[in-house]
Amino acid sequence: MQISRFNFQNNLLELEDDIDFSHAELDLNHIRKIENTHVKVIAHEYDDLITMDVSVECDITGVCSYTLEDVPLHLKFKDSLEFSNEVEDDEDIFFEPKPIFNLDPYILGLIITSTPTKMVKKGAKLPSSGTGYRVLSEDEYQEEKKNKVDPRWAKLDNVDL
């Protein structure tokens, strides 16, 4: 989605478009696919500053934290972005010096940050134990750690002084 500073009429610009993120580089342990992304932008221009109210609706395929299987998720959220063609001290304002710039990377960033970091597929449960591992609660782990003897110092227990 391209934004042009020349297309503002009465300091207002409204855009609505579908964006294809099928070729986006994603962390496949968090999000596997982003599909059906629909974006609506209402932008206001104030001298060198552009403020945008962004509405995003998309379908993503995430990863189950327990089983690593696909988890379908529908996201619908609103956020705001600010752009300036001058370097600002405010870290919340993005620097875009050109009159025409691409909004897709910013939309992708909003989708990634709006996706939960932990997703669990319906009916998925943590494994209780298996070959070569066992699952402990935090209390069990702390108790085991407290009672564990360090083998490097165990020989000194037998020394008579």
Side-chain angles (χ1 to χ4, degrees), residues 84-141:
S84 177
N85 57 1
E86 295 181 8
V87 178
E88 301 283 339
D89 290 337
D90 190 350
E91 61 187 37
D92 294 333
I93 299 176
F94 297 105
F95 175 62
E96 285 291 346
K98 297 180 180 176
I100 299 173
F101 58 94
N102 190 5
L103 202 57
D104 292 357
Y106 300 103
I107 301 297
L108 180 60
L110 290 176
I111 291 171
I112 291 171
T113 57
S114 297
T115 302
T117 54
K118 181 179 180 181
M119 293 177 264
V120 179
K121 191 174 186 177
K122 284 190 177 185
K125 295 184 175 148
L126 276 174
S128 58
S129 290
T131 306
Y133 71 94
R134 58 196 175 110
V135 178
L136 302 172
S137 69
E138 181 130 4
D139 294 334
E140 291 171 332
Y141 171 73

Side-chain angles (χ1 to χ4, degrees), residues 4 8-10 22 26 54 65 69 71 76 80 85 94 98 104 124 127 132-133 135 137 160:
S4 173
F8 281 84
Q9 296 174 352
N10 297 326
S22 61
L26 301 169
V54 181
S65 298
E69 295 175 343
V71 177
K76 186 175 184 178
S80 60
N85 57 1
F94 297 105
K98 297 180 180 176
D104 292 357
Y133 71 94
V135 178
S137 69
D160 281 335

Side-chain angles (χ1 to χ4, degrees), residues 2-125:
Q2 297 285 328
I3 298 291
S4 173
R5 295 179 194 272
F6 303 120
N7 290 345
F8 281 84
Q9 296 174 352
N10 297 326
N11 298 332
L12 178 68
L13 178 65
E14 292 185 28
L15 296 171
E16 195 166 344
D17 198 5
D18 293 326
I19 301 176
D20 179 24
F21 287 118
S22 61
H23 299 294
E25 292 183 26
L26 301 169
D27 177 8
L28 298 178
N29 294 317
H30 183 222
I31 300 173
R32 293 208 171 121
K33 278 192 287 191
I34 301 174
E35 300 174 326
N36 305 326
T37 305
H38 185 75
V39 178
K40 183 177 181 181
V41 175
I42 299 173
H44 299 277
E45 183 180 40
Y46 307 100
D47 293 328
D48 65 329
L49 183 69
I50 296 175
T51 62
M52 295 183 185
D53 293 320
V54 181
S55 300
V56 179
E57 190 169 350
C58 64
D59 295 314
I60 67 164
T61 302
V63 180
C64 178
S65 298
Y66 294 169
T67 63
L68 300 179
E69 295 175 343
D70 290 352
V71 177
L73 181 66
H74 181 77
L75 287 180
K76 186 175 184 178
F77 63 90
K78 294 182 180 187
D79 209 333
S80 60
L81 297 171
E82 294 181 337
F83 297 92
S84 177
N85 57 1
E86 295 181 8
V87 178
E88 301 283 339
D89 290 337
D90 190 350
E91 61 187 37
D92 294 333
I93 299 176
F94 297 105
F95 175 62
E96 285 291 346
K98 297 180 180 176
I100 299 173
F101 58 94
N102 190 5
L103 202 57
D104 292 357
Y106 300 103
I107 301 297
L108 180 60
L110 290 176
I111 291 171
I112 291 171
T113 57
S114 297
T115 302
T117 54
K118 181 179 180 181
M119 293 177 264
V120 179
K121 191 174 186 177
K122 284 190 177 185
K125 295 184 175 148

